[in-house]
Amino acid sequence: MKIFVGILFCFFTFFNPLKGRKLVTAHRTVNLMGSKFDITVVADNEEMGYINIEEAISEIERIDKMLYAGDQNSETHLINSNAGIKPVKVSYEMFRLIERTIEISKLTNGAFDISQEGMDVVWDFKSNVDNESIKDELSLSLTNVGYQNIVLNAKDLTVFLKKKGVKIGFGAIAKGYAVDKAKELLVRKQVLGGAINGAGDFTTWGVKANGEKWMIGIANPVGFAKMFSWIPVLESSVSTTESCNDFVPLENTRFSSVLDPRTGYPAVGVNRVSVFSKSAELCDALSTAVFVLGVERGLAIISQLDGTEVIIVDNNNVMHKTEGILLD
């Protein structure tokens, strides 16, 4: 996931007429969850700003330890290792997150599905090798995919995967969730304003130290290096899913690197999706789902959700958007 985020990070002191006192901006770029995170906060002084950033980093690391399936101590690993064996008692936080992922799966007719992790088929996106043989593996692999295989028990706070081979993974929602939790922590600590960008999952609160709004740049569909427009992000979030330059050559068609969990095939027809909403977690999941669903069905689903908007760039570099997106 990537998005060009137009934020001017400044370390100078500004006078904010809204607060009546001098404020500063602190910023750090760190590697977390296997990606680059940019964290910016507004504070009364630089020392406090960097203390707040460290606390945000610690919160993101906590989320990563809970969700990363490769960590044998994570709740995700424990759930997967007991697939088809027994229910696993989890934290309330993990239980609620999985509940929400299932709700999104139902909303998107399975275009978003955390059980996609059980798909063992590996497409080659780096070369022009023949991927035809993979089609024979799909029918067997897809038997382990489907959110219906995730059984939740709210009374006991347990998660059970119905059979061996079923796995869950949070790659399409983890960064958005981590960004939300870091923001929630800093807002609770009364940090005046800030912006967190986790590899394209972007959220803000408050305003900059100089009183200006946080802005994001919308890339030109034809020349992604140039800005097409700027949009303010006020107490809100945005997430972008794009295929970059990785494609699968198959049946004389170029398929993207984003897989459809319902078919096992790479999605086709879309180059980039940006979803805008209050929650970065929701944006993260929906941007993936809309990429899979395509322009028409993606617009239809987002249009049903209050406070949620989308910009879709199709594979002809034509931009489509919901009515709430106003571009200069």
Side-chain angles (χ1 to χ4, degrees):
M1 290 188 175
K2 298 180 181 178
I3 189 169
F4 183 91
V5 181
I7 307 173
L8 296 179
F9 297 121
C10 298
F11 297 88
F12 300 101
T13 301
F14 295 95
F15 182 76
N16 187 340
L18 299 177
K19 297 296 180 181
R21 63 183 190 265
K22 291 182 178 180
L23 300 172
V24 300
T25 300
H27 167 245
R28 276 193 63 189
T29 299
V30 291
N31 289 319
L32 298 166
M33 305 181 79
S35 300
K36 184 178 78 171
F37 275 68
D38 289 302
I39 305 174
T40 305
V41 299
V42 176
D44 287 309
N45 58 74
E46 192 174 83
E47 180 181 5
M48 182 54 65
Y50 284 109
I51 289 174
N52 291 330
I53 287 176
E54 287 299 325
E55 292 186 344
I57 291 171
S58 295
E59 178 68 354
I60 294 168
E61 290 174 337
R62 181 187 71 82
I63 299 300
D64 192 27
K65 289 179 181 178
M66 180 179 77
L67 299 183
Y68 179 47
D71 183 345
Q72 294 190 357
N73 295 315
S74 73
E75 292 188 73
T76 305
H77 178 81
L78 187 60
I79 293 168
N80 288 343
S81 62
N82 283 281
I85 300 173
K86 64 179 181 179
V88 173
K89 187 172 180 60
V90 298
S91 64
Y92 179 76
E93 179 180 11
M94 172 65 101
F95 188 89
R96 290 288 294 120
L97 176 60
I98 295 176
E99 264 191 335
R100 294 193 298 275
T101 67
I102 292 176
E103 290 171 1
I104 297 171
S105 293
K106 292 177 179 177
L107 171 70
T108 62
N109 297 312
F112 170 85
D113 193 334
I114 61 171
S115 73
Q116 180 178 330
E117 194 74 11
M119 191 187 308
D120 293 328
V121 169
V122 179
W123 295 89
D124 188 337
F125 295 100
K126 300 300 181 183
S127 65
N128 292 320
V129 300
D130 181 13
N131 283 289
E132 293 289 331
S133 60
I134 293 178
K135 294 190 294 184
D136 298 330
E137 305 172 26
L138 281 176
S139 58
L140 178 60
S141 183
L142 286 175
T143 62
N144 294 327
V145 179
Y147 63 91
Q148 299 87 349
N149 289 314
I150 306 171
V151 180
L152 301 181
N153 183 318
K155 180 181 178 181
D156 299 328
L157 288 181
T158 61
V159 181
F160 178 55
L161 305 182
K162 287 183 178 180
K163 56 183 180 178
K164 288 187 177 181
V166 177
K167 301 175 186 177
I168 60 172
F170 296 90
I173 199 171
K175 293 182 181 67
Y177 180 65
V179 163
D180 275 344
K181 295 300 289 184
K183 171 183 174 178
E184 179 184 308
L185 172 67
L186 295 182
V187 169
R188 192 166 61 244
K189 290 177 60 64
Q190 300 183 337
V191 174
L192 300 172
I196 304 174
N197 180 19
D201 297 306
F202 177 63
T203 194
T204 73
W205 71 100
V207 294
K208 297 180 185 180
N210 60 0
E212 295 179 356
K213 301 172 184 177
W214 304 102
M215 306 285 287
I216 65 164
I218 303 301
N220 189 309
V222 178
F224 286 149
K226 299 179 180 180
M227 290 303 102
F228 179 80
S229 183
W230 293 86
I231 297 179
V233 182
L234 305 174
E235 307 290 337
S236 191
S237 305
V238 60
S239 179
T240 293
T241 295
E242 61 182 345
S243 60
C244 301
N245 295 315
D246 292 337
F247 291 89
V248 171
L250 183 65
E251 298 174 348
N252 297 318
T253 302
R254 294 210 318 162
F255 290 79
S256 77
S257 58
V258 179
L259 298 183
D260 184 339
R262 302 165 302 180
T263 66
Y265 276 80
V268 65
V270 173
N271 282 346
R272 176 179 295 196
V273 174
S274 295
V275 175
F276 302 76
S277 193
K278 183 74 173 177
S279 161
E281 170 194 317
L282 181 63
C283 291
D284 197 359
L286 288 178
S287 65
T288 301
V290 170
F291 196 105
V292 169
L293 290 169
V295 174
E296 184 176 344
R297 295 179 64 193
L299 288 173
I301 283 181
I302 298 300
S303 295
Q304 298 175 32
L305 303 176
D306 290 338
T308 305
E309 307 290 343
V310 68
I311 297 174
I312 306 172
V313 178
D314 65 26
N315 59 358
N316 293 315
N317 286 329
V318 176
M319 180 182 290
H320 311 262
K321 64 184 183 65
T322 46
E323 293 182 357
I325 295 290
L326 302 177
L327 300 177
D328 296 333

